[in-house]
Amino acid sequence: MVSLYERSQRVMAPVANRATKLGVIKGEGTYIYTEDGRKILDFASGVAVNNLGHNHPQVVKAATKQMSQLVHGGHNVVYYESYVALAEKIVSLSKEETKVYFSNSGAEANDGALKLAKYVTERPAVISFKNSFHGRTIGAMSVTASNAGYRKHYEGMMPGVYFAEFPHLSKSPYPIVDLKTPKHFFDQFDDMFHSLVDPYSVAAIIVEPIQGEGGYIVPPKDFVQYLRVLCDHYGIFLIFDEIQTGFGRTGYMFASEYFEVEPDIRTVAKGIANGFPLSAIIAKAEIMDKWEAGAHGGTFGGNPVACAAALATIEVLEKEGIENAQLMGAYFKEMLLDLQEKYSFIEEVRGIGLMLAIEFANTSELSAQEILKEAIAESLAKDVLFLSCGMHKNVLRFIPPTTVSKNEIIEAVSVLDEVLSQL
Ligand SMILES: Cc1ncc(COP(=O)(O)O)c(C=O)c1O
């Protein structure tokens, strides 16, 4: 049998890079099934998308029902129930009065959010963070700084973007006193406003409340809270990119709850519809109301089937997913901390909810990158799928669905333990 991988080599653009060569024919719960008969425990969830596991029956049922009624209406053309009902539901999840705009991907939502901020403030500049990832369109890429490879040959993107340092306290080059965020991380904005860009020229600060692709880095709460103060002071919009952290991933519907900070604009995608392509810009109503008709748009945004799937996804998350993510996240993290006791090359265990990671350090025989590569390859050989992240390619991330069970976590950790013990 010619595998899907082999067939794809002849016809697929190599630019669509994959972490594995698996050809998958079915997904159910926390497992994927391959064309060559393997059953694989999936702790990647399509990169934080299947937050309720594969093919959750309630989501499939809602999507199937919607498909029998209307597959596409076009949000430039008509109104339909699943679109409006989802917007109502999302607005009800916000602490403040908000309005919603739907699109298809995370990058598209971020592009839209940047356009919204520029349009309403009539200011040109944007501040983002080193090590951040916001997507691959020219706009989203312009505020991304996790990998120079994403920019290679594309330089000269959206102008007026400035990058600040994101606090990863355990790696802080600045001394930490009383476990507090070093002053540098706060003062850097004054320096920036003094030497690089006038604060009243800045439309938005865009930030992942927890950096995803950059290595699952959880910043200190006081830093995120300071961003809110800073933005309020200068009339800058605070954009939270919750594309990876949203919809139960962190044990909260949105990571902003953990930080106790509300953004002006929030972008979401990935887990919103448990696998159907959908994204949203959620902004304070007073901001959205100033984005005039025609200033943004698209053909497929808010597809009826994706919206119906999202409604079902949110219902299950509220009923059981988020609570399970908190319980299983705490349990999982304990197990990872136990692994750290055992293996000195596990430098750090971090993350909240089910957005967890371990960072490897070099040993005398192996580099951290080699350890990560081996850990992923050998775990997959034993039918457990993990992904990497981090700027230095030394972080193993764990993104199981919020529906994951204790036994599945035990299975994943024991396979990893066995693999690490062989290194
Ligand atoms: C935080 C964050 N923002 C934006 C994106 C881009 O989303 P998409 O790939 O749907 O364009 C991602 C994808 O990994 C992400 O993790």
Side-chain angles (χ1 to χ4, degrees):
M1 188 190 74
V2 183
S3 69
L4 288 166
Y5 166 72
E6 287 162 321
R7 282 167 56 199
S8 76
Q9 292 309 289
R10 286 193 284 274
V11 290
M12 300 292 301
V15 72
N17 197 17
R18 283 167 184 72
T20 76
K21 291 182 179 169
L22 297 175
V24 170
I25 51 170
K26 187 179 134 179
E28 195 175 20
T30 318
Y31 291 90
I32 47 177
Y33 297 81
T34 67
E35 58 188 342
D36 52 354
R38 293 170 68 189
K39 178 184 175 188
I40 293 176
L41 183 59
D42 179 8
F43 272 37
S45 302
V47 197
V49 169
N50 302 108
N51 283 5
L52 297 178
H54 293 279
N55 285 35
H56 191 282
Q58 207 165 313
V59 178
V60 171
K61 192 172 163 206
T64 310
K65 183 168 174 235
Q66 179 61 46
M67 268 199 293
S68 69
Q69 292 165 345
L70 180 75
V71 171
H72 174 73
H75 74 173
N76 298 323
V77 188
V78 292
Y79 296 90
Y80 39 89
E81 174 62 26
S82 62
Y83 187 103
V84 179
L86 179 61
E88 287 168 347
K89 181 70 209 178
I90 287 180
V91 163
S92 79
L93 296 175
S94 306
K95 296 214 159 38
E96 302 181 57
E97 203 192 329
T98 55
K99 287 191 176 177
V100 186
Y101 174 85
F102 292 121
S103 44
N104 306 287
S105 70
E108 197 185 348
N110 281 336
D111 273 16
L114 295 172
K115 284 172 71 179
L116 170 63
K118 284 173 179 248
Y119 192 90
V120 174
T121 60
E122 297 182 35
R123 298 178 183 184
V126 175
I127 295 174
S128 182
F129 287 89
K130 290 182 186 168
N131 209 36
S132 64
F133 183 79
H134 296 290
R136 317 266 194 148
T137 55
I138 293 277
M141 214 166 52
S142 308
V143 290
T144 289
S146 61
N147 185 340
Y150 296 148
R151 297 169 158 256
K152 190 176 166 189
H153 302 316
Y154 304 126
E155 280 300 348
M157 292 170 281
M158 187 175 76
V161 179
Y162 301 87
F163 290 96
E165 283 182 64
F166 193 78
H168 183 180
L169 285 202
S170 62
K171 300 277 165 72
S172 168
Y174 315 102
I176 295 174
V177 182
D178 298 335
L179 291 173
K180 291 209 176 97
T181 307
K183 206 167 156 292
H184 164 85
F185 291 103
F186 302 106
D187 291 349
Q188 64 173 329
F189 298 100
D190 292 337
D191 295 345
M192 195 182 263
F193 294 154
H194 186 68
S195 61
L196 279 172
V197 60
D198 183 87
Y200 296 100
S201 294
V202 179
I205 295 181
I206 182 165
V207 63
E208 296 161 90
I210 298 171
Q211 284 192 332
E213 166 105 359
Y216 279 28
I217 299 165
V218 186
K221 281 188 184 179
D222 61 351
F223 179 75
V224 180
Q225 289 166 0
Y226 179 72
L227 294 180
R228 180 68 276 170
V229 173
L230 191 73
C231 285
D232 285 342
H233 185 76
Y234 292 110
I236 297 169
F237 291 159
L238 182 59
I239 304 175
F240 277 180
D241 174 344
E242 292 233 38
I243 286 158
Q244 190 156 165
T245 54
F247 294 98
R249 176 54 47 205
T250 63
Y252 298 87
M253 187 61 85
F254 300 116
S256 57
E257 292 164 45
Y258 169 79
F259 292 102
E260 299 170 84
V261 176
E262 278 300 295
D264 299 296
I265 304 171
R266 186 194 319 273
T267 52
V268 293
K270 287 191 183 283
I272 184 172
N274 207 44
F276 287 87
L278 182 69
S279 63
I281 304 167
I282 309 160
K284 286 181 181 162
E286 76 212 39
I287 296 173
M288 246 357 165
D289 283 339
K290 292 185 186 134
W291 210 14
E292 289 164 294
H296 192 55
T299 297
F300 284 116
N303 169 269
V305 183
C307 286
L311 274 165
T313 302
I314 295 170
E315 200 178 306
V316 181
L317 280 173
E318 283 186 317
K319 220 186 284 167
E320 56 201 68
I322 288 175
E323 196 185 342
N324 198 54
Q326 274 173 11
L327 288 172
M328 291 302 107
Y331 179 74
F332 197 172
K333 196 165 182 182
E334 279 304 313
M335 290 197 84
L336 295 175
L337 287 165
D338 288 347
L339 272 191
Q340 190 184 23
E341 296 276 301
K342 210 163 154 187
Y343 301 105
S344 58
F345 54 82
I346 298 183
E347 190 174 306
E348 191 170 49
V349 173
R350 56 182 183 248
I352 58 170
L354 288 168
M355 188 170 180
L356 298 172
I358 55 181
E359 179 164 335
F360 294 119
N362 298 334
T363 65
S364 48
E365 290 89 38
L366 291 169
S367 70
Q369 291 71 22
E370 285 167 331
I371 296 173
L372 177 68
K373 227 169 150 189
E374 282 289 300
I376 290 178
E378 291 307 312
S379 297
L380 187 55
K382 295 179 189 303
D383 293 337
V384 179
L385 175 57
F386 297 127
L387 291 180
S388 64
C389 65
M391 235 182 18
H392 306 292
K393 300 196 182 343
N394 60 345
V395 181
L396 185 58
R397 60 172 148 172
F398 306 95
I399 345 171
T402 63
T403 48
V404 71
S405 70
K406 241 183 197 181
N407 283 343
E408 289 164 344
I409 293 171
I410 291 168
E411 188 185 336
V413 175
S414 57
V415 164
L416 182 62
D417 189 3
E418 198 187 325
V419 166
L420 297 182
S421 71
Q422 312 280 308
L423 290 175

